[in-house]
Amino acid sequence: MNQIDYDVHVRDLGFPEGPVALADGGVAFVDLLHARIRRWHPDDGVSVLAELDGAPNGMCLGRDGTLWIANNGGIAPQGPGRALHHAERPMPGGLQELDLRTGAVQVITQGGVQPDRPNDVVVSPEGYAVFTDPQNWEVLKTNPDAYLGGRVLIRRDDGTVDLLTRLPGFPNGLIFHPNGDLLVNLTRRREVIRFRWRNGRIAAPELFCSFPEGFAPDGMCLTEDRLLVAGSVGDMIAVVGLDGRPHGLVSTGPNTDPTNLCISQDRVFITNGFARELVSTKIDQLLRAI
Protein backbone atom coordinates (compact mmCIF):
# COMPACT_ATOMS: atom_id res chain seq x y z
CA MET A 1 0.00 0.00 0.00
CA ASN A 2 1.28 3.45 -0.90
CA GLN A 3 1.72 6.12 1.74
CA ILE A 4 0.74 9.69 0.92
CA ASP A 5 3.11 12.60 1.35
CA TYR A 6 1.61 15.61 3.07
CA ASP A 7 2.45 19.00 4.51
CA VAL A 8 2.09 19.41 8.28
CA HIS A 9 0.44 22.73 9.15
CA VAL A 10 -0.12 22.42 12.91
CA ARG A 11 1.58 20.14 15.45
CA ASP A 12 1.20 19.46 19.19
CA LEU A 13 -2.59 19.60 19.28
CA GLY A 14 -4.75 17.69 21.78
CA PHE A 15 -6.95 15.44 19.65
CA PRO A 16 -8.02 17.16 16.40
CA GLU A 17 -11.20 16.31 14.49
CA GLY A 18 -13.92 17.88 12.35
CA PRO A 19 -12.04 20.03 9.80
CA VAL A 20 -14.15 22.59 7.92
CA ALA A 21 -13.02 24.64 4.92
CA LEU A 22 -13.70 28.36 5.40
CA ALA A 23 -14.44 30.93 2.70
CA ASP A 24 -11.26 32.90 3.47
CA GLY A 25 -9.01 29.94 2.65
CA GLY A 26 -8.57 28.84 6.24
CA VAL A 27 -9.57 25.60 7.90
CA ALA A 28 -11.41 25.42 11.23
CA PHE A 29 -11.28 22.24 13.31
CA VAL A 30 -12.15 20.97 16.75
CA ASP A 31 -9.75 19.84 19.45
CA LEU A 32 -11.54 17.37 21.73
CA LEU A 33 -8.82 17.08 24.34
CA HIS A 34 -8.27 20.83 24.73
CA ALA A 35 -11.98 21.70 24.25
CA ARG A 36 -11.24 24.34 21.66
CA ILE A 37 -12.24 25.37 18.16
CA ARG A 38 -9.14 26.27 16.23
CA ARG A 39 -8.46 27.88 12.87
CA TRP A 40 -5.47 27.53 10.59
CA HIS A 41 -4.80 29.93 7.73
CA PRO A 42 -1.81 29.93 5.36
CA ASP A 43 -1.17 33.61 6.13
CA ASP A 44 -1.86 33.69 9.86
CA GLY A 45 -0.98 30.22 11.16
CA VAL A 46 -3.09 28.73 13.95
CA SER A 47 -5.41 30.59 16.30
CA VAL A 48 -8.21 29.81 18.78
CA LEU A 49 -11.75 30.70 17.74
CA ALA A 50 -13.44 29.53 20.94
CA GLU A 51 -12.89 27.69 24.21
CA LEU A 52 -15.78 25.45 25.20
CA ASP A 53 -17.15 23.33 28.00
CA GLY A 54 -17.46 19.62 27.25
CA ALA A 55 -15.60 18.18 24.26
CA PRO A 56 -16.28 19.34 20.69
CA ASN A 57 -16.31 16.19 18.55
CA GLY A 58 -17.44 17.19 15.04
CA MET A 59 -18.30 20.33 13.11
CA CYS A 60 -19.78 21.72 9.90
CA LEU A 61 -20.64 25.05 8.34
CA GLY A 62 -24.03 26.15 9.59
CA ARG A 63 -26.08 29.14 8.49
CA ASP A 64 -25.17 32.79 8.07
CA GLY A 65 -21.51 32.71 8.99
CA THR A 66 -21.69 30.13 11.77
CA LEU A 67 -20.15 26.80 12.66
CA TRP A 68 -22.33 24.02 14.07
CA ILE A 69 -20.50 21.91 16.65
CA ALA A 70 -21.36 18.41 17.87
CA ASN A 71 -20.28 18.45 21.52
CA ASN A 72 -20.15 15.03 23.18
CA GLY A 73 -20.33 16.51 26.66
CA GLY A 74 -16.79 15.98 27.85
CA ILE A 75 -14.82 12.84 26.86
CA ALA A 76 -11.77 12.71 24.62
CA PRO A 77 -9.11 10.20 23.57
CA GLN A 78 -5.63 10.84 24.93
CA GLY A 79 -3.61 8.32 22.96
CA PRO A 80 -3.26 4.61 22.17
CA GLY A 81 -3.77 2.47 25.27
CA ARG A 82 -4.56 5.44 27.51
CA ALA A 83 -7.77 6.06 29.43
CA LEU A 84 -10.28 8.56 28.12
CA HIS A 85 -9.93 12.11 29.36
CA HIS A 86 -12.94 13.59 31.16
CA ALA A 87 -13.40 17.35 30.84
CA GLU A 88 -12.98 19.57 33.87
CA ARG A 89 -16.11 21.43 32.73
CA PRO A 90 -18.52 18.81 31.34
CA MET A 91 -21.84 19.76 29.81
CA PRO A 92 -24.90 17.87 28.54
CA GLY A 93 -24.23 16.56 25.06
CA GLY A 94 -25.74 18.72 22.32
CA LEU A 95 -25.18 21.00 19.36
CA GLN A 96 -23.57 24.41 19.68
CA GLU A 97 -23.35 27.31 17.26
CA LEU A 98 -20.25 29.49 16.92
CA ASP A 99 -20.71 32.88 15.23
CA LEU A 100 -17.51 33.47 13.29
CA ARG A 101 -18.12 37.22 13.21
CA THR A 102 -18.57 37.77 16.94
CA GLY A 103 -17.10 34.64 18.56
CA ALA A 104 -20.33 34.05 20.48
CA VAL A 105 -21.23 30.43 21.27
CA GLN A 106 -24.69 29.14 22.15
CA VAL A 107 -26.38 25.77 22.60
CA ILE A 108 -28.92 25.24 19.82
CA THR A 109 -30.55 21.93 20.81
CA GLN A 110 -33.51 22.71 23.03
CA GLY A 111 -36.33 20.28 23.66
CA GLY A 112 -37.41 16.99 22.18
CA VAL A 113 -35.01 14.03 22.29
CA GLN A 114 -32.03 14.64 24.59
CA PRO A 115 -28.71 13.99 22.80
CA ASP A 116 -26.10 12.01 24.70
CA ARG A 117 -22.75 11.89 22.86
CA PRO A 118 -23.11 13.86 19.58
CA ASN A 119 -20.28 12.83 17.31
CA ASP A 120 -20.54 14.46 13.88
CA VAL A 121 -22.96 16.88 12.24
CA VAL A 122 -23.98 17.84 8.71
CA VAL A 123 -26.48 20.25 7.16
CA SER A 124 -29.44 18.66 5.37
CA PRO A 125 -30.71 19.94 1.99
CA GLU A 126 -33.46 21.78 3.90
CA GLY A 127 -30.97 23.40 6.29
CA TYR A 128 -31.55 21.15 9.32
CA ALA A 129 -28.68 19.87 11.48
CA VAL A 130 -28.41 16.07 11.23
CA PHE A 131 -26.03 14.37 13.65
CA THR A 132 -24.86 11.00 14.89
CA ASP A 133 -25.10 10.06 18.56
CA PRO A 134 -23.28 6.89 19.66
CA GLN A 135 -24.72 7.02 23.16
CA ASN A 136 -22.42 6.30 26.12
CA TRP A 137 -19.77 4.88 23.77
CA GLU A 138 -17.18 5.16 26.52
CA VAL A 139 -18.41 1.81 27.93
CA LEU A 140 -17.70 -0.18 24.76
CA LYS A 141 -14.26 -1.42 25.80
CA THR A 142 -15.02 -2.22 29.43
CA ASN A 143 -18.72 -3.11 29.50
CA PRO A 144 -20.13 -3.46 25.97
CA ASP A 145 -23.43 -4.92 27.23
CA ALA A 146 -24.17 -1.54 28.84
CA TYR A 147 -23.92 0.31 25.50
CA LEU A 148 -27.23 1.99 24.67
CA GLY A 149 -26.64 1.89 20.91
CA GLY A 150 -26.35 4.55 18.26
CA ARG A 151 -28.81 7.09 16.90
CA VAL A 152 -29.14 9.58 14.09
CA LEU A 153 -30.89 12.74 15.29
CA ILE A 154 -32.17 15.88 13.58
CA ARG A 155 -32.50 19.41 14.91
CA ARG A 156 -35.51 21.24 13.54
CA ASP A 157 -35.68 25.00 13.00
CA ASP A 158 -37.18 25.64 16.44
CA GLY A 159 -34.28 23.84 18.17
CA THR A 160 -36.17 20.67 19.05
CA VAL A 161 -34.48 17.34 18.39
CA ASP A 162 -36.19 14.34 16.77
CA LEU A 163 -35.02 10.75 16.39
CA LEU A 164 -34.48 9.71 12.77
CA THR A 165 -33.32 6.15 13.45
CA ARG A 166 -31.55 3.87 15.89
CA LEU A 167 -28.46 2.06 14.64
CA PRO A 168 -26.30 -0.83 15.82
CA GLY A 169 -22.62 -0.38 16.46
CA PHE A 170 -21.02 3.05 16.41
CA PRO A 171 -22.51 5.62 14.00
CA ASN A 172 -19.80 8.15 13.29
CA GLY A 173 -19.18 10.43 10.30
CA LEU A 174 -22.04 11.38 8.00
CA ILE A 175 -22.49 13.27 4.75
CA PHE A 176 -25.09 13.91 2.08
CA HIS A 177 -24.44 12.21 -1.26
CA PRO A 178 -24.77 14.47 -4.34
CA ASN A 179 -28.03 12.65 -5.15
CA GLY A 180 -29.50 13.68 -1.78
CA ASP A 181 -29.07 10.38 0.09
CA LEU A 182 -27.71 10.45 3.64
CA LEU A 183 -24.55 8.36 4.14
CA VAL A 184 -23.53 7.27 7.66
CA ASN A 185 -20.39 5.44 8.75
CA LEU A 186 -20.80 2.48 11.10
CA THR A 187 -17.29 2.34 12.51
CA ARG A 188 -17.38 -0.98 14.34
CA ARG A 189 -19.14 -2.72 11.43
CA ARG A 190 -16.74 -1.28 8.84
CA GLU A 191 -19.65 -0.09 6.70
CA VAL A 192 -21.16 2.99 5.12
CA ILE A 193 -24.93 2.78 5.05
CA ARG A 194 -27.31 4.83 2.90
CA PHE A 195 -30.70 6.32 3.70
CA ARG A 196 -32.99 7.75 1.05
CA TRP A 197 -33.81 11.27 2.24
CA ARG A 198 -37.24 12.81 1.86
CA ASN A 199 -37.88 16.24 3.40
CA GLY A 200 -36.31 15.57 6.77
CA ARG A 201 -37.34 11.91 6.94
CA ILE A 202 -35.42 8.77 6.02
CA ALA A 203 -36.25 5.39 4.52
CA ALA A 204 -34.86 2.01 5.62
CA PRO A 205 -31.05 1.67 5.62
CA GLU A 206 -29.20 0.12 2.70
CA LEU A 207 -25.56 -0.95 2.50
CA PHE A 208 -23.57 1.56 0.44
CA CYS A 209 -20.10 0.02 0.84
CA SER A 210 -18.01 -2.02 3.26
CA PHE A 211 -14.32 -2.12 4.15
CA PRO A 212 -11.77 -4.88 4.88
CA GLU A 213 -10.60 -5.97 8.32
CA GLY A 214 -8.27 -3.40 9.83
CA PHE A 215 -10.11 -0.36 8.47
CA ALA A 216 -12.68 1.45 10.60
CA PRO A 217 -14.45 4.36 8.88
CA ASP A 218 -14.58 7.63 10.79
CA GLY A 219 -15.20 10.96 9.01
CA MET A 220 -15.64 11.57 5.28
CA CYS A 221 -15.76 14.21 2.58
CA LEU A 222 -16.56 14.49 -1.11
CA THR A 223 -14.43 15.45 -4.08
CA GLU A 224 -16.16 16.14 -7.40
CA ASP A 225 -16.69 12.46 -8.13
CA ARG A 226 -15.45 10.41 -5.17
CA LEU A 227 -15.99 9.85 -1.50
CA LEU A 228 -12.93 10.02 0.77
CA VAL A 229 -13.24 8.12 4.06
CA ALA A 230 -10.83 8.50 6.97
CA GLY A 231 -9.91 5.21 8.62
CA SER A 232 -8.91 6.15 12.16
CA VAL A 233 -8.39 2.46 12.94
CA GLY A 234 -5.92 1.35 10.31
CA ASP A 235 -4.19 4.68 9.60
CA MET A 236 -5.63 4.83 6.08
CA ILE A 237 -7.88 6.78 3.76
CA ALA A 238 -10.31 4.93 1.51
CA VAL A 239 -11.36 6.22 -1.89
CA VAL A 240 -14.88 5.16 -2.90
CA GLY A 241 -16.85 5.87 -6.06
CA LEU A 242 -20.19 7.63 -5.85
CA ASP A 243 -21.74 4.27 -6.80
CA GLY A 244 -20.28 2.69 -3.63
CA ARG A 245 -17.53 0.74 -5.39
CA PRO A 246 -14.16 0.91 -3.60
CA HIS A 247 -11.27 2.37 -5.57
CA GLY A 248 -8.48 1.71 -3.09
CA LEU A 249 -6.71 2.56 0.16
CA VAL A 250 -3.74 4.79 0.95
CA SER A 251 -1.73 4.93 4.16
CA THR A 252 -1.34 8.07 6.27
CA GLY A 253 1.57 6.53 8.20
CA PRO A 254 1.77 4.51 11.42
CA ASN A 255 0.02 5.79 14.56
CA THR A 256 -1.51 8.78 12.77
CA ASP A 257 -5.19 7.94 13.42
CA PRO A 258 -6.82 10.07 10.68
CA THR A 259 -10.16 11.11 12.15
CA ASN A 260 -11.70 13.30 9.46
CA LEU A 261 -11.01 15.36 6.35
CA CYS A 262 -12.26 18.23 4.22
CA ILE A 263 -11.58 19.76 0.83
CA SER A 264 -10.22 23.29 0.47
CA GLN A 265 -9.43 24.39 -3.08
CA ASP A 266 -7.16 21.69 -4.56
CA ARG A 267 -6.13 20.09 -1.26
CA VAL A 268 -7.41 17.51 1.20
CA PHE A 269 -6.98 18.57 4.82
CA ILE A 270 -6.74 15.73 7.36
CA THR A 271 -6.92 15.77 11.14
CA ASN A 272 -4.57 13.10 12.51
CA GLY A 273 -5.86 12.38 16.02
CA PHE A 274 -3.06 10.48 17.73
CA ALA A 275 -0.37 12.28 15.72
CA ARG A 276 -1.97 15.51 17.06
CA GLU A 277 -1.63 17.40 13.80
CA LEU A 278 -3.43 19.07 10.91
CA VAL A 279 -1.98 18.09 7.55
CA SER A 280 -2.87 18.39 3.88
CA THR A 281 -2.03 16.93 0.49
CA LYS A 282 -3.14 17.74 -3.03
CA ILE A 283 -6.26 15.87 -4.14
CA ASP A 284 -4.66 14.58 -7.32
CA GLN A 285 -1.63 13.39 -5.38
CA LEU A 286 -3.81 11.36 -3.03
CA LEU A 287 -5.81 9.84 -5.89
CA ARG A 288 -2.64 8.86 -7.77
CA ALA A 289 -1.43 6.99 -4.67
CA ILE A 290 -4.28 4.45 -4.65
Side-chain angles (χ1 to χ4, degrees):
M1 182 188 305
N2 292 326
Q3 181 173 324
I4 57 173
D5 294 321
Y6 46 66
D7 296 326
V8 179
H9 303 295
V10 188
R11 291 185 169 90
D12 299 324
L13 298 165
F15 190 87
E17 245 271 33
V20 175
L22 302 176
D24 66 358
V27 174
F29 57 97
V30 308
D31 189 329
L32 279 79
L33 190 59
H34 295 163
R36 292 174 178 171
I37 308 300
R38 302 184 189 270
R39 169 185 174 268
W40 173 86
H41 192 278
D43 297 333
D44 306 329
V46 66
S47 58
V48 175
L49 296 177
E51 297 186 7
L52 306 176
D53 293 341
N57 206 132
M59 190 163 63
C60 71
L61 281 175
R63 297 176 178 173
D64 303 323
T66 65
L67 290 169
W68 285 349
I69 303 158
N71 194 312
N72 73 34
I75 55 175
Q78 298 190 86
R82 299 183 63 186
L84 290 171
H85 171 79
H86 291 263
E88 293 181 3
R89 301 193 312 270
M91 60 171 279
L95 297 185
Q96 295 170 293
E97 181 179 79
L98 167 61
D99 189 323
L100 288 170
R101 294 165 296 191
T102 67
V105 178
Q106 62 176 333
V107 175
I108 58 171
T109 41
Q110 301 166 349
V113 175
Q114 175 59 50
D116 188 3
R117 297 287 188 208
N119 182 280
D120 202 2
V121 59
V122 69
V123 180
S124 79
E126 303 84 3
Y128 302 133
V130 181
F131 56 107
T132 49
D133 183 11
Q135 305 174 87
N136 73 323
W137 61 263
E138 63 271 22
V139 305
L140 282 169
K141 285 189 177 181
T142 58
N143 187 14
D145 290 339
Y147 179 50
L148 297 174
R151 305 183 292 186
V152 179
L153 305 175
I154 183 169
R155 176 197 178 269
R156 307 290 182 183
D157 284 338
D158 63 357
T160 59
V161 177
D162 292 335
L163 173 70
L164 286 176
T165 188
R166 296 185 184 275
L167 289 172
F170 191 109
N172 200 327
L174 74 173
I175 199 168
F176 278 91
H177 190 282
N179 69 5
D181 292 347
L182 176 65
L183 304 179
V184 180
N185 282 333
L186 291 181
T187 298
R188 294 171 70 86
R189 291 196 167 199
R190 308 190 314 277
E191 295 174 347
V192 180
I193 55 174
R194 174 175 60 192
F195 297 93
R196 304 294 183 184
W197 184 267
R198 296 293 182 271
N199 300 319
R201 299 287 185 269
I202 58 174
E206 307 168 21
L207 179 65
F208 181 73
C209 68
S210 59
F211 300 101
E213 285 278 356
F215 182 97
D218 199 321
M220 44 187 170
C221 72
L222 284 164
T223 68
E224 290 184 358
D225 59 354
R226 304 184 204 193
L227 180 71
L228 305 182
V229 184
S232 52
V233 174
D235 300 327
M236 292 178 276
I237 293 171
V239 182
V240 180
L242 295 183
D243 58 0
R245 289 187 293 182
H247 289 194
L249 299 167
V250 294
S251 171
T252 53
N255 302 314
T256 46
D257 187 54
T259 55
N260 213 328
L261 18 66
C262 74
I263 303 295
S264 180
Q265 300 177 21
D266 64 342
R267 303 188 72 86
V268 183
F269 282 80
I270 307 162
T271 46
N272 285 333
F274 288 153
R276 303 191 299 151
E277 59 191 14
L278 174 72
V279 306
S280 78
T281 186
K282 287 191 173 182
I283 298 170
D284 60 358
Q285 182 177 335
L286 185 150
L287 296 180
R288 285 198 304 268
I290 62 175

